[in-house]
Amino acid sequence: MGTGILTIDLDALAANWRALDRLSRGETGAVVKADAYGCGIDRVAPRLAREGARRFFVATAEEGAALRAVLGPGPEINVFSGHMSGDTGLIRDHALTPMLNSPEQAARHRAALPDAPYGVQLDTGMNRLGMEAADWAATRVGLEAGPLTLVMSHLACADEPDRVENAAQLKAFTEMTADVTVPRSFSATGGILMGPDYQFDLTRPGIGLYGGLPYAAAQPVVRLSLPVIQIRDVAQGEFVGYGGGFIAERPTRIATVSAGYADGLIRYMSGVAQLFDGEHVCRLAGRVSMDLLTVDITDLPEPPEHLDILGPQQGVDALAEAAGTIGYEILTSLGPRYQRRYIGG
Ligand SMILES: *Cc1c(COP(=O)(O)O)cnc(C)c1O
């Protein structure tokens, strides 16, 4: 088989959700946007529902419709982008709950679907999504009179707990929502770890479920094992790959492995990322190509059939560091060509 095998450990995912739930003083939701951070919403969401998650979050109404097909009726599906023009049919037909981000979205939703529930997203300093204090002050009486389910905001710097921006956002959220009677939600993974003051009634973990930082105690969820297509010996002075990006400084054995930047192994990994044969470490030799990696396996005792690029030896954040990015981007870039295998139901 020529494709990589992406193994997703649903038992580890479930353990991460339960651990974050224990850390949260109130209810714990689950963020499953971007196909559950690349792990597959059709397997991830039902497992989290079985663990007890009742409120799910996605980025768009289209993702919400796909999630409803997976979960069936019952769980609340909240849409961060709110009620965009063109979303009314999806929101109604799939019983989605838009997080209204502006007075315009509020007016659109209330006019189109007067009885349909909604949440409100407040901007407390990030300046990305949500109503600012003045918008909220102007619309809140009307919004609180309808089927409002949730008031939420989002931290910009929660992966760096000591940043003063965190306390400033907490103060703003507390002031803006002081006499709100519906549930409040403020924290994603990073905020949960900052303790009860940041948690309010409902938390919204994403990355921590999937084994990424800032939740350092997370169990790893993904393993990516890539098949070796060919092995060759390269003489000292020969080059390997596009642009001659690697030049053999000694007689070198090169394994050509099936996966490349089209599968989310971005070119910035060229020359720096490591692959593993059990505990043995191998370096990428030369540039990442679209479908292939070339790996220096000179020091391996046996020719490998597979090499792992994600797993216990090198998690999503370690690989991200080699590529100059973050674990979130590694996960959400994992391509559709991998064969996805699931551990646990
Ligand atoms: C993506 C996202 C989350 C989840 O964040 P993590 O850092 O992955 O836990 C929560 N809330 C909002 C608004 C988001 O955009």
Side-chain angles (χ1 to χ4, degrees):
M1 193 176 61
T3 61
I5 296 173
L6 180 65
T7 304
I8 294 150
D9 187 343
L10 296 174
D11 292 334
L13 170 102
N16 291 335
W17 187 84
R18 290 193 303 265
L20 289 165
D21 185 41
R22 282 194 295 274
L23 290 174
S24 298
R25 70 176 191 197
E27 182 182 346
T28 306
V31 179
V32 294
K33 59 193 179 186
D35 197 26
Y37 289 47
C39 291
I41 199 173
D42 51 333
R43 301 298 299 270
V44 164
R47 179 60 192 263
L48 292 172
R50 240 183 328 120
E51 294 300 321
R54 304 316 296 155
R55 297 200 204 214
F56 291 81
F57 292 84
V58 292
T60 65
E62 286 77 5
E63 288 186 336
L67 178 57
R68 181 61 76 200
V70 168
L71 287 177
E76 192 173 284
I77 298 177
N78 298 298
V79 180
F80 288 137
S81 59
H83 190 145
M84 300 284 286
S85 122
D87 283 351
T88 301
L90 288 173
I91 290 170
R92 180 193 56 226
D93 296 347
H94 302 280
L96 308 179
T97 306
M99 298 292 109
L100 303 175
N101 288 299
S102 64
E104 294 71 28
Q105 285 199 346
R108 176 182 298 131
H109 186 71
R110 301 293 285 138
L113 301 170
D115 302 323
Y118 52 87
V120 169
Q121 183 157 206
L122 300 177
D123 185 78
T124 51
M126 187 174 186
N127 286 311
R128 188 180 70 165
L129 271 184
M131 295 193 198
E132 303 212 357
D135 297 330
W136 172 232
T139 51
R140 70 175 286 180
V141 172
L143 288 171
E144 289 186 279
L148 175 65
T149 58
L150 186 68
V151 177
M152 62 165 282
S153 188
H154 191 53
L155 285 162
C157 308
D159 55 338
E160 298 173 79
D162 297 334
R163 292 273 298 259
V164 293
E165 290 86 346
N166 292 317
Q169 283 196 263
L170 176 62
K171 183 165 178 284
F173 187 65
T174 305
E175 285 170 6
M176 285 165 85
T177 63
D179 41 5
V180 160
T181 55
V182 300
R184 293 183 288 175
S185 177
F186 189 54
S187 280
T189 303
I192 294 173
L193 301 174
M194 286 162 59
D197 288 354
Y198 281 83
Q199 292 171 356
F200 295 85
D201 305 298
L202 170 72
T203 55
R204 308 184 307 273
I207 192 70
L209 305 176
Y210 309 100
L213 288 174
Y215 186 32
Q219 293 190 23
V221 170
V222 294
R223 173 190 282 257
L224 179 56
S225 186
L226 306 175
V228 175
I229 302 174
Q230 213 183 353
I231 294 177
R232 79 185 66 242
D233 290 314
V234 173
Q236 184 177 2
E238 285 193 272
F239 67 85
V240 175
Y242 281 124
F246 175 86
I247 295 175
E249 291 173 356
R250 57 174 179 167
T252 300
R253 180 163 281 191
I254 295 291
T256 303
V257 166
S258 178
Y261 59 75
D263 305 295
L265 302 177
I266 56 180
R267 280 177 82 251
Y268 275 113
M269 294 174 189
S270 300
V272 285
Q274 297 179 330
L275 288 90
F276 290 81
D277 176 26
E279 293 308 308
H280 297 288
V281 185
C282 313
R283 265 288 193 82
L284 269 186
R287 290 191 197 161
V288 174
S289 17
M290 186 184 294
D291 317 302
L292 299 167
L293 307 174
T294 40
V295 185
D296 182 346
I297 60 161
T298 313
D299 298 326
L300 291 186
E302 301 283 338
E305 289 185 5
H306 288 85
L307 290 169
D308 290 349
I309 194 161
L310 286 173
Q313 315 91 329
Q314 174 171 262
V316 291
D317 292 288
L319 183 61
E321 196 169 319
T325 182
I326 53 176
Y328 296 76
E329 192 174 5
I330 296 292
L331 282 171
T332 58
S333 301
L334 291 169
R337 290 199 290 200
Y338 299 127
Q339 191 191 326
R340 283 165 164 75
R341 289 187 185 164
Y342 289 89
I343 297 172

